[in-house]
Amino acid sequence: MTDTLARPPAADATADFLPLKGIDHVEFWVGNAKQAAAYYRTLWGFTPVAYAGLETGVRDRASYVMVQNDIRFVFTAPLTDSGELAEHVRRHGDGVHDIAFAVDDVTSAWRETTARGAVSALEPAEITGEKGVLRRSAIHTYGEVLHTFIDRSEYTGTFAPGYHRISKPAAAATGQQLLEVDHCVGNVALGDMNRFVDFYRDVLGFSQLIHYDDKVIHTEYSALMSKVMQSGNGRIKFPINEPADGKRKSQIQEFLDYYLDAGTQHIALRTEDIVGTVRALRSRGAEFLGMPHEYYAALPERVGDVGIPMELLEELGIEADRDEEGYLLQIFTKPVQDRPTFFFEIIERHGSRGFGVGNFKALFEAIEREQEKRGNL
């Protein structure tokens, strides 16, 4: 099999033992939460809505909750030099620690997943505050990443007890249109992809949407393999990548070498205006991977009309791909921190449920050019 797109049957709510309503939030553990919050406000256009730290009675960490439409990011940094959070940042640098799911019943979610083999990270618990009760539980997945289950049905606060609402946030950058998390990509070590595919299938009830092997995702020098898993209702999509043998080091192996573990490589953010979004981000200094002119010269024959002039796509560095269901537009940032690990994808979908298979070779060559600059190819 190479790049098969599965078409799962319509979701049966009675058969879905883990009904996930969507991604509640993504928490990053970082070296400096205040600076991270400023970066995501002034460049990416996120609004700070809640804070926890010394001023709110939290002694070991500071956290900023940042929101844009249906995207909620939390940036948390240690205030001491010891403990799990400080060690995580020391070892990995900035990275994703928690991809949290919204659910109706955190106890059922925890019980169903741990009964199927998940390792518990937090037994079902209630946190009571002035704005009500927040319920949560959590399990481990690849590397040190968690999946926390969140029930907000009896909580009316901005984020969680212990966080104070930011009543007069500084103005966020404008011009971009980032709507929701489209997918989150995990990188795992060679030989681990199928193990975590089985984990998401057997423990969380996900199904396999697409499989890309190293015959599809390769260049002259490197390759990788990827399987895309989706939740029972199709709302959450997690590609899982592992490196494949090649002449030189793949982008997945570079990630593993610098993150020192399996982890979340990138998050794709969906937009309905990729041109306006990329223009706004570029104007504020966002750095994107570039494609050669030859890529755009071949694009009209490969994808046809995508509603945007090819000259404009080339000017902004936006890629396009088409499949039997429609087309998509996408672009990838360079790493957004010092280590060559985490980056973002911006994606605009027009029917296609794919991930831009037609762009893989050109994209990987662009990534390899960046790896060569870093001396890591």
Side-chain angles (χ1 to χ4, degrees):
M1 187 183 328
T2 55
D3 61 328
T4 303
L5 177 62
R7 299 175 185 276
D12 180 357
T14 62
D16 188 358
F17 65 83
L18 184 63
L20 303 176
K21 297 159 67 176
I23 293 178
D24 182 88
H25 68 274
V26 177
E27 183 174 11
F28 298 76
W29 278 5
V30 300
N32 190 317
K34 177 174 276 189
Q35 288 187 359
Y39 169 79
Y40 283 91
R41 178 180 62 82
T42 59
L43 194 149
W44 288 89
F46 283 78
T47 299
V49 298
Y51 165 78
L54 294 175
E55 297 85 350
T56 71
V58 178
R59 308 307 301 175
D60 67 334
R61 65 191 63 196
S63 292
Y64 290 83
V65 182
M66 311 291 290
V67 170
Q68 184 172 165
N69 294 309
D70 289 333
I71 307 166
R72 183 192 283 124
F73 288 159
V74 182
F75 299 96
T76 301
L79 296 178
T80 66
D81 63 354
S82 62
E84 180 188 15
L85 175 51
E87 174 59 21
H88 189 282
V89 173
R90 185 200 66 77
R91 184 163 189 260
H92 304 298
D94 293 0
V96 172
H97 174 64
D98 190 356
I99 303 173
F101 302 132
V103 300
D104 288 325
D105 188 337
V106 303
T107 300
S108 174
W110 180 86
R111 184 184 298 119
E112 293 286 354
T113 52
T114 54
R116 289 168 167 81
V119 175
S120 174
L122 174 68
E123 294 189 6
E126 294 186 349
I127 308 173
T128 301
E130 295 179 358
K131 300 293 184 177
V133 177
L134 182 78
R135 297 179 176 87
R136 62 178 185 168
S137 59
I139 60 171
H140 291 275
T141 179
Y142 53 79
E144 294 186 49
V145 179
L146 303 183
H147 289 319
T148 296
F149 305 112
I150 303 285
D151 172 16
R152 299 182 178 278
S153 61
E154 295 184 20
Y155 186 71
T156 61
T158 304
F159 180 67
Y163 286 78
H164 288 190
R165 183 174 68 88
I166 299 175
S167 57
K168 295 181 179 179
T174 60
Q176 74 292 320
Q177 186 187 93
L178 301 172
L179 302 176
E180 63 181 357
V181 172
D182 185 89
H183 58 274
C184 301
V185 180
N187 283 356
V188 300
L190 178 63
D192 278 352
M193 177 182 68
N194 286 329
R195 179 162 71 92
F196 284 101
V197 165
D198 292 347
F199 173 86
Y200 279 96
R201 181 195 65 208
D202 300 337
V203 174
L204 287 96
F206 281 41
S207 61
Q208 184 176 312
L209 178 63
I210 308 175
H211 173 202
Y212 301 116
D213 68 15
D214 54 354
K215 297 180 179 65
V216 175
I217 313 180
H218 73 279
T219 69
E220 177 185 355
Y221 297 114
S222 66
L224 67 82
M225 295 175 284
S226 180
K227 292 184 178 180
V228 181
M229 304 301 290
Q230 68 172 0
S231 61
N233 57 17
R235 294 177 182 173
I236 299 167
K237 298 178 178 65
F238 287 164
I240 301 172
N241 301 337
E242 72 173 13
D245 290 334
K247 297 179 182 177
R248 299 187 184 180
K249 183 180 297 184
S250 74
Q251 57 160 302
I252 308 305
Q253 191 58 53
E254 183 187 40
F255 173 97
L256 296 170
D257 287 350
Y258 280 86
Y259 202 69
L260 304 177
D261 203 348
T264 302
Q265 177 210 45
H266 79 265
I267 293 176
L269 304 176
R270 190 179 68 82
T271 182
E272 292 179 352
D273 179 13
I274 195 168
V275 168
T277 294
V278 172
R279 276 178 169 161
L281 294 174
R282 280 191 180 278
S283 73
R284 297 192 289 267
E287 295 182 308
F288 294 93
L289 294 175
M291 292 292 173
H293 173 71
E294 291 74 17
Y295 169 85
Y296 294 98
L299 205 54
E301 182 177 354
R302 183 166 68 83
V303 304
D305 181 21
V306 293
I308 299 172
M310 294 296 162
E311 297 79 9
L312 183 54
L313 293 180
E314 182 172 4
E315 174 191 337
L316 296 175
I318 296 170
E319 304 151 41
D321 194 39
R322 184 181 292 275
D323 58 29
E324 66 274 13
E325 295 184 311
Y327 68 92
L328 61 80
L329 304 166
Q330 61 187 160
I331 192 170
F332 297 82
T333 72
K334 295 180 181 182
V336 296
Q337 67 283 305
D338 293 328
R339 298 193 197 192
T341 50
F342 183 80
F343 59 90
F344 284 105
E345 173 186 352
I346 311 298
I347 188 166
E348 180 179 325
R349 295 189 180 275
H350 294 268
S352 172
R353 292 188 296 152
F355 296 83
V357 62
N359 296 325
F360 284 175
K361 183 177 177 60
L363 172 63
F364 274 51
E365 289 173 345
I367 292 174
E368 285 177 350
R369 288 193 292 273
E370 295 299 317
Q371 285 182 260
E372 189 168 21
K373 293 177 185 177
R374 296 190 288 264
N376 291 332
L377 182 58

